[in-house]
Amino acid sequence: MKRTSGLSVSNIIGIIFLFVGISVTIASCSKKREYYQRPEWLEPAIYNQLEEKGNFGHYLALVDKAGFKRTLSSSGYFTVFAPTDEAMERYLQQNGYASVNDIDTTTAQGIVQYSIAYNAYFLDEIDDYQNASLDTTQRYDEAFRRRTMYYKWVFEENVDGQDIRVIDQNGVLELPEQGPYFNSTDNNNKYIPYFTRNFFLNKGLTDYDYNYFYPEKNFSGFNIANANTVESDLRAENGVIHVVDEVIPPLPNIEDMLAGNPDYSVFYGLVKKYMLEYDLAPEAFLNRFAQYNGAAENVYVKQYNLMNFAPNCENYMRYASGNQHDAQRESWTMFAPNNAAANAFINQRLLKYYPSIDVLSNELIAEFINAHLFRAAVWPSKFASTVNYYGEPARFDPESNVVEKKIGSNGMFYGTNTIQRTDAFYTVLGEIILNPEYALMLAALRATNIYDVLKNPDLTMSVFLLDNESFTDLGLEYESATNSWNLTNPALGSNATLALNRIIKMSIILGKAWENFGGNGIIQTYGGEYIRFQNGSVYGAGNFENGEIVVPYKPDAQGTNGVTWLVNQPLYYTTKEIGAVIRLNQTNYGEFFRYLQKCGSSLPGLIYDPVAESITSIKAEEPNTLLIPTDSAMQRAVLDGYLPVITDVNFNQAQLDKVGRFINYHCLNGQIIVPGSGFSGPARTLYQTDDGTVSVEVEARENDLVIIDDYNRDVHIIYEKSNILSNNAVIHLLEDYLKYTKE
């Protein structure tokens, strides 16, 4: 229950300021008193109160040695987690100290500073999220960590055989590719974890989530790391004291826990080799360190590039999209596979197509490492509902897969006997990302933002794999230095970005894992364009135009979300106008083409442009379905007055308008409708009246398409001569023409 009455620490501080104000007033009125004495009812300062209680002698000796007696004896606003003498004696025995005097100053400073959290919090408010100064929203029972006075500062580290001065990275940006971040004024203070009953209830956690990490301790409803609170809410003039039954030295961060255990040396080796770098600290920090050090000296920031978070950063997302206090309610989590698990993955999957791990790209390694990093506290009961940067849950069994579990200063650490089976390596994307033969396809997937589509485990798909030679054959060249593409093949147009998008999307079929391409049919690809299959072969509009047959055959591996197919050549589109396709298929569309020719010779460009071979009203940038009646149906349309008779003379304006209306009524604009697609409903035509656009009813059946015109006539396609591919369009042959209501 939250505090509703009584004096909080903030009330006490307010009273003090009021009291001081009154003293100033009295002093101005009467010069007999030089100062105003401290009121008897005000609680002693933290140091004095612990001294009076008599069971904190060892802790206070550490405070003295660490130089913090004045801090805890004077004004301030702190929360102190003070260990009892019994706790200190147990600590001394466990660590081989005869007395507190044997503890060195640095160790003493660490224990004392880590026991002091900024700001003062009673039990009923310590788990509340500390709002930003302008945010008045109350967020109860959301916090389980507080910022302490302890920080690591500059230290020495051996890098490539040379001892250098190093400072840890203290900021993480929103996107890993944005690079590491360092703030010259931030000390990267460590946080101390605590666990309250109300926090657990709010997060849906149970005692299990505490005992999983601290099996030797009972969850009392207010635990500080592995310590029980013996007494809570001791008021002091300068803060609050919570008495604990364990000494809590500064907890290691995730980097410390990973680097400190040789069982994870393979995983940590990848992190160091591919992600870790040392860059000279900003000038502002170097100046600051020179003032502290008394002399100028180089200091290098130890930072992690391309990683979802830096395991040595204590600040959570403070310098990204988060708030400066967000580390109170969230933390990092790392799942570190042990050497056996990491080696098995490296040998069986990462090195399937590579001779050595030394030739792998940073991006490939980052994909593997980041799958094990979570920007959230992954509680043991919440593995299945907490996701990593890729949106994947923690795919581990907390009982059988976790061999080590710890809570550190900046998050949770799990040592595991298996890897996170990340979607990048086990979906259809896996074959592309792991095989250098598909390096250009991988670059194309990233450039077109389709990379994440292929690794989505909730989608089912079929993918035609394009090797590096395929892109060369298509005239698509990749410039790695500028991460850009060039197009040298005019048959694909002049825009490299557009061409790349169309080619990649034509190689992806969503919704079905095609096991074979026997029979005869048409398939919509990811971009909305269609490809045909016939008796085991497939082709796009460009392949058909050039008489090419694409033969797919399966590789060894399949993905968890679909199948991949190897092809002897890539599928591609045509940039020719729809009139060119009609001209090449005059056996079926002869009469329709005669009308196009007549319109083109009568008034070029109004209905038909004979040079560009384009039907003026049909735009290639829009998907269209063109319905062309058979020659005999065209003749019936002439007899019924829907088309003019073709004679030796040119069409006049009225005749051209009649042909234009006829063509437009036979073109379904804005979509491609094919047999078996399941489409049923109205479809907009290009024909427009004074009242607006006219639609027809369409029903897509298996091996058939039924169109209902203005006179409720059912007109079917001739399936064997339909599904002709064009530029962002498909042409069907109709058994009859469509009647519209004449104006």
Side-chain angles (χ1 to χ4, degrees):
M1 181 178 295
K2 296 297 157 189
R3 181 180 303 277
T4 57
S5 62
L7 291 176
S8 68
V9 172
S10 57
N11 296 143
I12 294 172
I13 298 299
I15 290 173
I16 292 172
F17 282 117
L18 175 63
F19 188 77
V20 172
I22 293 172
S23 69
V24 171
T25 304
I26 293 175
S28 66
C29 296
S30 175
K31 297 184 179 180
K32 293 181 180 180
R33 301 183 65 174
E34 297 295 331
Y35 64 94
Y36 194 82
Q37 293 182 344
R38 187 177 183 278
E40 295 180 359
W41 51 263
L42 193 61
E43 298 288 353
I46 292 171
Y47 187 94
N48 306 99
Q49 187 167 168
L50 291 175
E51 194 173 37
E52 289 178 8
K53 283 189 170 293
N55 193 31
F56 301 93
H58 295 321
Y59 175 69
L60 292 178
L62 281 185
V63 171
D64 294 343
K65 177 172 283 192
F68 276 80
K69 179 177 181 178
R70 182 176 179 181
T71 300
L72 296 184
S73 301
S74 55
S75 62
Y77 199 40
F78 308 112
T79 299
V80 171
F81 304 103
T84 62
D85 281 342
E86 292 80 7
M88 281 296 306
E89 288 166 4
R90 192 162 53 252
Y91 172 81
L92 294 173
Q93 183 180 6
Q94 291 171 349
N95 290 275
Y97 296 116
S99 70
V100 173
N101 294 331
D102 294 335
I103 299 177
D104 61 87
T105 301
T106 300
T107 301
Q109 288 174 337
I111 293 173
V112 172
Q113 286 179 277
Y114 197 61
S115 71
I116 305 172
Y118 287 103
N119 299 325
Y121 298 99
F122 289 100
L123 169 57
D124 67 352
E125 60 189 5
I126 195 171
D127 55 14
D128 296 341
Y129 171 66
Q130 182 179 343
N131 301 340
S133 57
L134 298 179
D135 183 0
T136 60
T137 305
Q138 294 298 317
R139 298 181 176 90
Y140 297 124
D141 308 325
E142 292 188 7
F144 72 105
R145 297 168 1 106
R146 291 289 165 179
R147 183 169 172 260
T148 71
M149 296 186 71
Y150 180 79
Y151 55 90
K152 192 174 181 180
W153 190 234
V154 175
F155 58 97
E156 283 195 357
E157 187 159 298
N158 188 279
V159 179
D160 297 330
Q162 181 181 358
D163 290 332
I164 62 173
R165 290 191 179 273
V166 173
I167 186 75
D168 279 329
Q169 178 180 339
N170 58 29
V172 171
L173 299 179
E174 187 65 34
L175 302 175
E177 58 266 28
Q178 291 177 319
Y181 178 82
F182 180 78
N183 185 300
S184 296
T185 62
D186 189 296
N187 289 332
N188 204 32
N189 291 63
K190 282 183 177 289
Y191 283 72
I192 190 168
Y194 52 85
F195 314 95
T196 68
R197 179 67 65 189
N198 285 340
F199 173 79
F200 270 36
L201 290 173
N202 184 42
K203 296 297 182 181
L205 306 174
T206 66
D207 292 21
Y208 167 80
D209 292 282
Y210 179 80
N211 295 130
Y212 188 81
F213 294 103
Y214 308 108
E216 75 286 355
K217 288 287 186 176
N218 292 323
F219 180 53
S220 65
F222 185 29
N223 296 70
I224 317 301
N226 66 323
N228 285 315
T229 51
V230 177
E231 193 173 0
S232 300
D233 293 352
L234 299 180
R235 302 170 187 271
E237 177 184 342
N238 55 351
V240 178
I241 304 167
H242 300 292
V243 181
V244 294
D245 66 354
E246 296 284 353
V247 176
I248 309 173
L251 294 179
N253 59 31
I254 290 176
E255 181 193 57
D256 298 328
M257 291 184 280
L258 176 65
N261 192 331
D263 289 345
Y264 314 110
S265 60
V266 174
F267 186 72
Y268 183 49
L270 294 178
V271 171
K272 288 195 298 182
K273 180 180 178 65
Y274 291 93
M275 306 290 106
L276 178 60
E277 58 186 32
Y278 296 83
D279 287 349
L280 188 64
E283 184 177 355
F285 183 82
L286 295 178
N287 292 336
R288 180 186 172 198
F289 182 70
Q291 292 176 353
Y292 167 84
N293 195 41
E297 191 171 351
N298 285 340
V299 178
Y300 296 86
V301 181
K302 185 180 185 181
Q303 54 195 20
Y304 291 86
N305 195 30
L306 294 179
M307 283 183 71
N308 189 28
F309 66 75
N312 60 348
C313 176
E314 309 281 352
N315 284 319
Y316 191 59
M317 299 295 291
R318 177 174 183 173
Y319 297 109
S321 59
N323 181 277
Q324 63 174 329
H325 300 306
D326 281 353
Q328 295 175 359
R329 58 180 178 181
E330 271 300 357
S331 73
W332 314 127
T333 300
M334 174 183 283
F335 291 86
N338 62 20
N339 294 341
N343 279 326
F345 175 79
I346 291 170
N347 295 327
Q348 296 170 14
R349 195 156 288 263
L350 278 187
L351 298 183
K352 182 178 180 180
Y353 299 104
Y354 289 91
S356 166
I357 198 169
D358 295 329
V359 300
L360 299 179
S361 69
N362 289 37
E363 289 76 15
L364 182 60
I365 298 298
E367 190 81 41
F368 172 61
I369 291 173
N370 283 332
H372 297 79
L373 308 185
F374 289 66
R375 287 182 177 178
V378 185
W379 299 93
S381 65
K382 304 292 183 182
F383 278 22
S385 58
T386 313
V387 298
N388 61 15
Y389 186 74
Y390 304 133
E392 304 166 345
R395 293 168 176 158
F396 304 92
D397 185 300
E399 300 305 322
S400 62
N401 293 140
V402 176
V403 296
E404 183 181 6
K405 55 266 193 182
K406 292 180 178 179
I407 294 181
S409 61
N410 64 347
M412 298 176 175
F413 179 86
Y414 296 97
T416 64
N417 58 18
T418 186
I419 60 139
Q420 169 83 348
R421 287 180 61 89
T422 178
D423 297 322
F425 299 112
Y426 292 93
T427 60
V428 293
L429 180 64
E431 193 69 11
I432 301 168
I433 198 174
L434 293 169
N435 192 336
E437 287 296 317
Y438 306 120
L440 291 182
M441 187 173 188
L442 179 60
L445 290 170
R446 295 187 189 277
T448 55
N449 295 318
I450 304 176
Y451 181 91
D452 288 335
V453 174
L454 267 61
K455 65 182 287 192
N456 188 335
D458 297 324
L459 297 176
T460 302
M461 66 191 76
S462 304
V463 178
F464 299 104
L465 300 176
L466 305 179
D467 60 20
N468 299 331
E469 188 177 345
S470 295
F471 288 89
T472 302
D473 294 342
L474 290 168
L476 283 164
E477 300 175 347
Y478 177 61
E479 296 287 344
S480 58
T482 58
N483 192 27
S484 60
W485 290 82
N486 298 317
L487 178 61
T488 60
N489 181 4
L492 296 183
S494 58
N495 188 317
T497 301
L498 179 61
L500 192 68
N501 265 282
R502 293 184 72 175
I503 291 296
I504 287 297
K505 289 178 179 179
M506 283 187 69
S507 301
I508 303 169
I509 304 169
L510 291 183
K512 181 178 178 179
W514 286 79
E515 295 295 335
N516 66 80
F517 294 98
N520 181 15
I522 188 167
I523 305 171
Q524 184 183 36
T525 61
Y526 178 55
E529 296 192 62
Y530 281 77
I531 58 174
R532 291 283 304 272
F533 68 91
Q534 188 171 17
N535 299 326
S537 64
V538 294
Y539 57 85
N543 305 107
F544 180 71
E545 179 182 291
N546 294 304
E548 300 170 350
I549 299 298
V550 180
V551 180
Y553 55 100
K554 286 186 177 181
D556 295 335
Q558 301 299 306
T560 57
N561 61 346
V563 298
T564 53
W565 290 85
L566 296 172
V567 288
N568 62 324
Q569 58 185 313
L571 295 162
Y572 62 97
Y573 57 90
T574 180
T575 56
K576 291 184 178 179
E577 295 288 346
I578 199 167
V581 179
I582 297 171
R583 173 177 55 81
L584 293 172
N585 286 272
Q586 290 185 60
T587 302
N588 297 321
Y589 312 137
E591 195 68 13
F592 189 89
F593 184 66
R594 284 183 63 211
Y595 275 88
L596 293 181
Q597 285 182 306
K598 192 66 176 180
C599 291
S601 61
S602 300
L603 188 58
L606 179 65
I607 304 297
Y608 184 70
D609 184 338
V611 177
E613 297 189 291
S614 62
I615 298 174
T616 307
S617 59
I618 298 178
K619 310 299 182 186
E621 60 269 19
E622 300 173 349
N624 289 282
T625 306
L626 184 59
L627 308 168
I628 298 181
T630 62
D631 289 351
S632 58
M634 294 285 289
Q635 293 166 5
R636 287 194 295 274
V638 174
L639 295 175
D640 293 341
Y642 283 88
L643 284 172
V645 177
I646 295 179
T647 63
D648 292 337
V649 299
N650 288 333
F651 285 151
N652 59 32
Q653 187 63 53
Q655 292 171 319
L656 287 169
D657 290 344
K658 183 177 287 188
V659 177
R661 287 192 294 271
F662 184 87
I663 292 174
N664 288 344
Y665 190 65
H666 286 77
C667 183
L668 310 180
N669 178 244
Q671 56 190 323
I672 296 175
I673 305 175
V674 299
S677 63
F679 181 89
S680 180
R684 184 180 73 245
T685 72
L686 284 174
Y687 178 49
Q688 290 186 329
T689 65
D690 292 339
D691 297 330
T693 301
V694 176
S695 297
V696 294
E697 289 291 323
V698 180
E699 182 182 347
R701 302 174 182 173
E702 192 68 26
N703 299 333
D704 193 12
L705 209 62
V706 182
I707 300 92
I708 303 172
D709 63 16
D710 265 6
Y711 288 85
N712 289 321
R713 298 162 62 244
D714 289 0
V715 181
H716 297 254
I717 66 168
I718 301 174
Y719 182 77
E720 295 77 12
K721 298 180 180 180
S722 295
N723 296 325
I724 304 301
L725 304 176
S726 184
N727 185 8
N728 203 19
V730 168
I731 304 171
H732 299 303
L733 186 65
L734 281 182
E735 64 181 8
D736 203 350
Y737 76 95
L738 303 177
K739 284 187 178 183
Y740 56 88
T741 303
K742 297 180 181 179
E743 297 177 355

